[in-house]
């Protein structure tokens, strides 16, 4: 896995792309993280901090191979302490430590950027960007390119260059992940987008942008639309695809372990 620090264009990626619907996962977090605002706000160490906590997104960003995903996270003004991080992890990365550490990237299951401008993976670090200003809100964008296997960061709209490569060789799901040692720190998921899959996907995007498919309106749409179209529009098939792929991977790993036992 390489660290790359070359700067490139500052144009925000995937400006006209599918609006993804993932949130911070209430069921895949440290107890020191509270999830608010329908999964868009992660509030860390509400009273005081006694270690490092993390939370993953509720959907991996590599369900569809060779696609680009982009998301932005606003670190609210309490930016300070040992480590505040944003990056990717597999489900094998731990979400809490009773020490103050750089949790995302402490082992081979994570790739992260800390607020001190350092990249971390497999417990190795590399200088990448200037440290974030303390006690000042900072907007971090993340661009995952599934075709090239890269992760690129943006800071307050400026591209910082490719940070990690070789991610398309990881035979596991990759989840957006954030971590913090700072008491009462907040991370707000402001944007989550992905490339369109095909023309049908573009049409679905237009429908979702034109009409409301919020929870309180779903019953009405269910009465109007045929079942398959309804499930497609509300992204049910993405959840089903994730479940199907997860089961396939689980069976494959079980076979491999059985062969070596």
């Amino acid at each position: 896995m390489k660290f790359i620090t070359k700067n490139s264009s500052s144009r925000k990626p995937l400006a006209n792309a599918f609006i993804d619907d993932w949130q911070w996962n209430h069921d895949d977090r440290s107890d020191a993280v509270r999830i608010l605002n329908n999964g868009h706000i992660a509030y860390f160490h509400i009273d005081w901090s006694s270690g490092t906590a993390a939370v993953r997104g509720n959907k991996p960003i590599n369900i569809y191979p060779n696609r680009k995903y982009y998301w932005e996270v606003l670190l609210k003004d309490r930016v300070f302490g040992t480590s505040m991080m944003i990056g990717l992890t597999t489900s094998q990365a731990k979400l809490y430590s009773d020490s103050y550490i750089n949790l995302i990237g402490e082992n081979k299951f994570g790739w992260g950027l800390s607020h001190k401008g350092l990249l971390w993976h497999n417990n190795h670090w590399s200088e990448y960007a200037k440290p974030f200003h303390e006690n000042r809100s900072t907007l971090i964008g993340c661009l995952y390119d599934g075709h090239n296997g890269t992760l690129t960061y943006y800071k307050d709209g400026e591209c910082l260059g490719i940070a990690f490569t070789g991610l398309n060789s990881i035979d596991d799901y990759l989840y957006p992940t954030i971590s913090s040692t700072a008491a009462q720190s907040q991370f707000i998921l402001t944007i989550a987008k992905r490339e369109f899959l095909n023309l049908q996907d573009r049409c679905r995007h237009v429908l979702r942008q034109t009409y409301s498919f919020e929870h309180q309106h779903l019953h009405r749409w269910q009465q109007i639309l045929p079942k398959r179209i309804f499930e497609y529009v509300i992204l049910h098939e993405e959840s089903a695809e994730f479940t199907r792929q997860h089961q396939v991977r689980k069976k494959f790993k079980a076979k491999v372990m059985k062969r070596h036992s």
Side-chain angles (χ1 to χ4, degrees), residues 193-207:
K193 294 186 175 184
R194 65 161 170 77
E195 278 188 319
F196 291 114
L197 305 176
N198 46 40
L199 180 59
Q200 183 173 284
D201 197 36
R202 287 178 179 270
C203 293
R204 172 171 59 179
H205 174 71
V206 172
L207 280 173

Side-chain angles (χ1 to χ4, degrees), residues 3-250:
F3 299 128
I4 300 179
T5 58
K6 180 181 177 181
N7 287 326
S8 57
S9 169
S10 296
R11 186 170 63 89
K12 184 175 290 191
L14 302 188
N16 299 307
F18 190 90
I19 297 178
D20 216 352
D21 71 332
W22 63 267
Q23 302 91 32
W24 302 124
N25 194 344
H26 185 274
D27 298 320
D28 199 12
R29 63 182 174 89
S30 161
D31 290 339
V33 183
R34 181 176 294 180
I35 307 301
L36 307 170
N37 193 30
N38 296 319
H40 290 95
I41 298 178
Y43 193 178
F44 289 78
H45 312 290
I46 292 175
D47 295 317
W48 60 83
S49 174
S50 58
T52 312
V55 58
R56 273 186 278 270
N58 65 351
K59 189 166 67 175
I61 48 83
N62 56 342
I63 294 179
Y64 301 111
N66 304 321
R67 296 294 171 180
K68 292 180 180 178
Y69 286 76
Y70 180 74
W71 63 103
E72 289 183 345
V73 178
L74 177 66
L75 282 65
K76 289 290 285 181
D77 50 8
R78 290 182 63 83
V79 178
F80 67 99
T82 302
S83 178
M84 298 176 69
M85 303 190 75
I86 179 169
L88 294 171
T89 65
T90 72
S91 59
Q92 298 182 70
K94 66 182 183 181
L95 297 175
Y96 185 77
S97 171
D98 56 9
S99 301
Y100 298 106
I101 63 172
N102 293 282
L103 191 57
I104 302 175
E106 65 150 357
N107 53 35
K108 65 180 181 179
F109 304 119
W111 300 259
L113 168 66
S114 81
H115 77 289
K116 295 185 178 179
L118 304 178
L119 296 175
W120 284 86
H121 172 63
N122 206 17
N123 204 31
H124 294 291
W125 61 270
S126 173
E127 292 184 356
Y128 174 69
K130 293 180 180 179
F132 303 175
H133 291 288
E134 290 201 354
N135 298 312
R136 184 188 300 180
S137 294
T138 302
L139 184 67
I140 300 298
C142 304
L143 175 64
Y144 170 77
D145 184 335
H147 177 72
N148 293 306
T150 59
L151 179 63
T152 299
Y153 289 101
Y154 292 71
K155 179 175 178 287
D156 294 325
E158 178 185 355
C159 181
L160 300 177
I162 294 173
F164 299 104
T165 64
L167 294 172
N168 51 355
S169 66
I170 305 302
D171 186 26
D172 205 345
Y173 285 124
L174 297 172
Y175 295 85
T177 308
I178 49 178
S179 70
S180 179
T181 62
Q184 301 176 19
S185 52
Q186 293 184 51
F187 293 66
I188 303 174
L189 178 64
T190 61
I191 292 176
K193 294 186 175 184
R194 65 161 170 77
E195 278 188 319
F196 291 114
L197 305 176
N198 46 40
L199 180 59
Q200 183 173 284
D201 197 36
R202 287 178 179 270
C203 293
R204 172 171 59 179
H205 174 71
V206 172
L207 280 173
R208 289 175 61 86
Q209 290 296 98
T210 305
Y211 301 101
S212 173
F213 288 89
E214 297 295 328
H215 180 74
Q216 62 268 29
H217 300 131
L218 289 185
H219 180 68
R220 182 168 175 267
W221 284 114
Q222 201 167 15
Q223 293 176 324
I224 296 172
L225 297 174
K227 181 179 178 181
R228 291 191 65 179
I229 294 178
F230 171 75
E231 291 183 347
Y232 179 74
V233 171
I234 66 169
L235 308 181
H236 179 270
E237 98 295 342
E238 288 201 0
S239 299
E241 176 66 10
F242 168 51
T243 301
R244 185 191 68 79
Q245 289 191 24
H246 180 70
Q247 290 173 345
V248 169
R249 287 171 184 252
K250 192 174 181 180

